[in-house]
Amino acid sequence: MPLALDIARAHLLGRRRQSLVAILGVTLGVAFFIAMSAMMHGFQNYFRTQIVDSNPHIMITDEIRRPARQPLALLHPEAAVSVARVLPRDPVRGIANAGAILDALGRMRGLAAAPTLRGQLILRRAGRDYAVAALGIDPVLEARVTQLAGNLVAGSLDALTRQSNGVIIGRALAAKMGAGLGDTITGVATTGASAALRVVGLFSTGIETQDLGQVYLQLAREQALENRPLVVNEIDIRLDDITRSVAMAKEIEGRFGFKAAPWEETYSRILAVFLLQNIIMTTVTGAILVVAGFGIFNVISTVVLEKARDIAIMRSIGLSRRVIVRIFVIEGALVGSVGTMLGWLVAMAMAAGIARIPAPGATDPNETMRVAQSLDLYVVASLIAMAAAVGAAWLPARRAARTDPLAVIRGAT
Amino acid sequence: MIAAIAARGLSRILPGPVPTVLVEEIDLDFAPGSFTAITGPSGSGKSSLLYLLGLLDRPSAGEVLVEGAPTSQLDDDTRGDLRLERFGFVFQFHFLLPEFSVLDNVMLPMRELGQLSSAEMRARGEELLASLDMAEMARKLPGQLSGGQRQRTAIARALANDPRFILADEPTGALDTRNGRAVFAILRRLAEEGRTVIVVTHDEALAALTDRRIQLIDGRLAADARLQER
Ligand SMILES: Nc1ncnc2c1ncn2[C@@H]1O[C@H](COP(=O)(O)OP(=O)(O)OP(=O)(O)O)[C@@H](O)[C@H]1O
Ligand SMILES: [Mg+2]
């Protein structure tokens, strides 16, 4: 064993209790960092996949982020002209040329697109009214883009294709209305137009607002009810590679002019909350590691004071300042690495424990908390802990190397 | 013949409002294989002179020549390397590392020098301890030894790297007469092996066992007597 390591080990063993406290500090910091991060990431990943699976990755809507340059501004390009609240000339809002856009999207690689006309509908059944959002869809394209097909618990999208008066409603809404597959419901649009709709499918997403407040019709049927023939106000896009969502959205928006929002934009608030969660978590566990650093600083400072004679004789024998620094930095590294490795074990145990806790508010009682442990977490926690340990040892180590051996030898003789 | 260690106009004065003179204007030559005692009243600068000769302290003026080579311009690391290779120190207090066995304490300078394999170090350490009648104590901790045994361990450690110079500051200060004489017998043997031995003592009887006696008073050389010619 190298001399410095040998001496470092002897010093720590000579201060067993303090060393143990310092080690446990590191263990706690590392374990909490890993376990808490894993829990948070597990939850966030779960949430993210839920969002990504149940929503279009990019949504083109009939909005234009920047209105066209207005004549006044064009006339005076140098002037400071600001025209606010520019209204579109076309009173029928919708995505113009939706057909052409869909054709163009259809030729692009790595994505599938489906048109939607979103409107409002009152469903009337047994003398009661239910206000819902009505989505006119193309069942064939929709199947490629959203999870609707997968969420069906009865009936099929094919049935909607075949049945021009078909409607797919949430199972929860059906139960509330007392309607079932094959029953007829009256739908009244805001235009006053109405139609007798036949339930051809029931879906369940687990998201209450959707299960109770959203129904699907054929696109043509919805266009007729809204009296907006051939109009589409939303195009949903599913990507093969969701990491490209932001770039693709930008490209699509640049090409067609309509607002194309990637899912990150639509859910930016939740993502911001996640970020905040991560910052708070990192700060708190970081604080634990700082406290662990104090523990290490404490034990090594004590050893440095206690071992003044040993340091003096080693220097007089000819051991350099570097060797003295090395001894105490190694002590920090020893505490740090033993604490870190114990921290891994505790973290694994904590993660396993968390993964058994039932998820709060889950519909399925067997659902437990999600834990996403990754090698990255272990590596990051270890690096932070080792940096804290070595940093905390560095200060007393330098003081040890600076002390004048003669002063000690004089004092002892 | 080049002196093993030589002092030329050696002074050590602590700066301050009233400067403290530790040693002043010392000129001395120590021949290889000589056995010298430095004596003098308490506070006369004996330890201070020894620290200067052993490169543990830097002079305010003058020069310490080690085998003819000046040392005052050397950096700390080089002086440390010189101490490690050529000097062995014994102090009044033993300064053994309490967590390490007697043998491990003796091996410490060898390990820092790093010229022997661990088996060779072990063998040499055991040999040194045996030559000091300490063979049975090799595995013990310093806390389990008597004062004389601790001092002999410290001497073994000083000899670890086969140094040419042995500098001892009151090595018998904490020992009784019998143990004190035993230590001086060891020092004499080391000088007879060809090492240059300088020992600080205030014990006249022990000083009489050396070849040469240097007396300091108030940091200055007061007497330099060769007791017996060898
Ligand atoms: N760091 C210091 N600061 C101030 N004075 C010092 C310091 N070191 C030594 N002295 C003084 O220098 C003088 C010489 O000290 P030194 O230790 O060399 O004497 P000594 O001959 O070894 O004495 P002793 O026989 O008591 O060991 C003493 O008067 C001492 O008080
Ligand atoms: Mg002294």
Side-chain angles (χ1 to χ4, degrees):
Chain A
M1 200 186 311
L3 182 58
L5 177 60
D6 208 0
I7 296 172
R9 206 188 48 140
H11 283 174
L12 292 178
L13 289 177
R15 288 238 149 233
R16 242 167 258 246
R17 197 177 325 168
Q18 257 179 306
S19 305
L20 206 65
V21 169
I23 287 172
L24 288 182
V26 177
T27 300
L28 218 63
V30 168
F32 267 84
F33 185 92
I34 295 173
M36 293 296 115
S37 304
M39 188 177 79
M40 211 91 92
H41 291 172
F43 168 70
Q44 293 174 1
N45 288 350
Y46 170 72
F47 213 90
R48 209 170 271 136
T49 31
Q50 290 278 301
I51 292 173
V52 166
D53 282 350
S54 57
N55 289 278
H57 299 161
I58 298 174
M59 202 194 267
I60 305 178
T61 50
D62 56 350
E63 290 169 54
I64 293 172
R65 275 189 223 260
R66 279 205 305 163
R69 300 253 286 157
Q70 295 302 301
L72 189 61
L74 291 172
L75 255 174
H76 304 284
E78 302 298 315
V81 177
S82 168
V83 183
R85 293 190 200 162
V86 179
L87 294 174
R89 186 168 41 175
D90 186 355
V92 182
R93 290 245 289 167
I95 299 173
N97 298 325
I101 293 176
L102 278 167
D103 280 350
L105 288 171
R107 281 193 296 274
M108 286 170 77
R109 286 181 170 276
L111 60 78
T116 302
L117 175 64
R118 210 176 258 274
Q120 252 102 75
L121 203 62
I122 305 280
L123 294 183
R124 195 160 279 169
R125 168 127 177 123
R128 302 192 82 165
D129 287 354
Y130 304 88
V132 294
L135 279 70
I137 58 170
D138 177 329
V140 176
L141 294 179
E142 190 74 11
R144 287 185 215 149
V145 174
T146 69
Q147 296 285 298
L148 182 57
N151 289 337
L152 285 181
V153 291
S156 67
L157 278 177
D158 283 349
L160 186 62
T161 314
R162 286 193 302 269
Q163 178 72 253
S164 64
N165 275 338
V167 62
I168 296 177
I169 68 175
R171 183 170 53 183
L173 180 63
K176 211 168 153 186
M177 294 198 300
L181 219 52
D183 288 349
T184 303
I185 305 168
T186 307
V188 183
T190 46
T191 53
S194 72
L197 303 169
R198 175 182 283 255
V199 178
V200 296
L202 300 176
F203 68 86
S204 171
T205 61
I207 303 168
E208 202 164 341
T209 50
Q210 288 187 17
D211 290 352
L212 282 176
Q214 202 158 291
V215 304
Y216 297 89
L217 311 171
Q218 271 196 8
L219 181 58
R221 159 61 56 217
E222 173 64 8
Q223 285 168 339
L225 278 168
E226 291 282 321
N227 193 20
R228 295 169 80 180
L230 301 178
V231 172
V232 161
N233 58 12
E234 186 179 309
I235 295 174
D236 295 340
I237 295 172
R238 182 169 198 84
L239 300 174
D240 293 346
D241 175 9
I242 65 155
T243 59
R244 300 204 51 224
S245 56
V246 174
M248 289 285 268
K250 209 165 185 182
E251 186 188 329
I252 290 167
E253 183 164 331
R255 192 154 155 200
F256 304 115
F258 288 100
K259 176 177 165 184
W263 66 273
E264 289 96 332
E265 181 180 329
T266 317
Y267 285 89
S268 61
R269 280 214 207 160
I270 286 171
L271 294 180
V273 169
F274 285 175
L275 184 66
L276 188 68
Q277 273 184 345
N278 289 343
I279 290 173
I280 292 172
M281 200 269 319
T282 310
T283 314
V284 169
T285 47
I288 300 178
L289 282 172
V290 169
V291 173
F294 282 124
I296 293 171
F297 180 83
N298 178 33
V299 60
I300 294 176
S301 298
T302 312
V303 170
V304 164
L305 287 179
E306 188 184 73
K307 297 297 176 192
R309 281 179 173 180
D310 299 19
I311 297 165
I313 192 65
M314 288 191 277
R315 296 269 285 118
S316 77
I317 287 174
L319 273 69
S320 64
R321 287 202 168 85
R322 267 189 316 282
V323 178
I324 304 296
V325 169
R326 201 177 299 149
I327 289 171
F328 294 100
V329 167
I330 287 175
E331 286 175 29
L334 279 177
V335 169
S337 50
V338 172
T340 300
M341 285 186 275
L342 285 178
W344 294 342
L345 298 180
V346 176
M348 286 177 206
M350 283 173 78
I354 292 169
R356 277 209 218 128
I357 299 173
T363 38
D364 179 356
N366 289 328
E367 190 119 346
T368 56
M369 304 268 282
R370 314 224 168 203
V371 179
Q373 293 190 74
S374 64
L375 189 62
D376 284 9
L377 277 183
Y378 283 79
V379 170
V380 168
S382 311
L383 287 180
I384 297 176
M386 288 309 287
V390 170
W394 174 252
L395 299 169
R398 278 210 346 196
R399 202 179 54 207
R402 281 217 204 99
T403 47
D404 175 13
L406 260 196
V408 178
I409 290 172
R410 272 206 177 99
T413 305
Chain B
M1 184 164 55
I2 297 175
I5 302 177
R8 293 280 174 272
L10 198 61
S11 295
R12 178 71 168 105
I13 296 163
L14 297 179
V18 185
T20 312
V21 175
L22 304 186
V23 294
E24 201 170 17
E25 299 286 335
I26 306 275
D27 285 285
L28 278 173
D29 280 12
F30 298 90
S34 62
F35 185 16
T36 310
I38 300 177
T39 62
S42 183
S44 57
K46 307 182 292 293
S47 298
S48 304
L49 176 59
L50 198 76
Y51 299 150
L52 289 167
L53 296 175
L55 310 184
L56 289 169
D57 198 6
R58 284 178 184 274
S60 329
E63 184 66 83
V64 172
L65 304 168
V66 174
E67 294 177 329
T71 55
S72 62
Q73 299 302 316
L74 301 177
D75 62 29
D76 280 359
D77 281 357
T78 313
R79 286 160 66 95
D81 291 345
L82 267 178
R83 288 199 301 273
L84 184 66
E85 284 173 36
R86 299 201 206 164
F87 287 82
F89 294 98
V90 184
F91 301 102
Q92 179 176 351
F93 182 77
H94 55 80
F95 287 109
L96 297 172
L97 303 191
E99 304 90 351
F100 288 85
S101 72
V102 164
L103 181 60
D104 283 334
N105 266 286
V106 173
M107 284 166 61
L108 182 118
M110 303 184 214
R111 292 173 72 180
E112 175 64 10
L113 192 62
Q115 284 177 350
L116 302 177
S117 71
S118 16
E120 287 168 333
M121 290 184 206
R122 190 160 293 273
R124 174 162 174 76
E126 276 166 352
E127 192 183 306
L128 279 171
L129 285 170
S131 74
L132 297 168
D133 273 340
M134 288 283 294
E136 276 85 68
M137 303 291 152
R139 316 271 156 220
K140 298 221 158 142
L141 293 176
Q144 300 168 312
L145 302 182
S146 73
Q149 289 168 336
R150 282 183 205 146
Q151 208 53 304
R152 275 184 280 161
T153 307
I155 293 174
R157 179 181 61 190
L159 294 171
N161 289 335
D162 195 14
R164 286 174 233 179
F165 323 120
I166 304 289
L167 274 55
D169 190 358
E170 311 255 16
T172 62
L175 303 179
D176 58 25
T177 321
R178 199 172 60 85
N179 275 308
R181 287 192 166 266
V183 166
F184 264 67
I186 294 165
L187 294 178
R188 156 146 313 277
R189 200 177 76 210
L190 296 176
E192 278 163 7
E193 287 168 15
R195 300 176 217 268
T196 309
V197 179
I198 306 172
V199 57
V200 168
T201 182
H202 60 257
D203 186 324
E204 297 295 332
L206 289 177
L209 298 174
T210 62
D211 300 339
R212 177 185 177 193
R213 208 175 120 186
I214 289 163
Q215 198 183 10
L216 290 184
I217 291 175
D218 291 339
R220 286 180 171 273
L221 206 55
D224 184 355
R226 270 158 229 273
L227 302 176
Q228 38 190 276
E229 218 55 53
R230 286 208 294 141

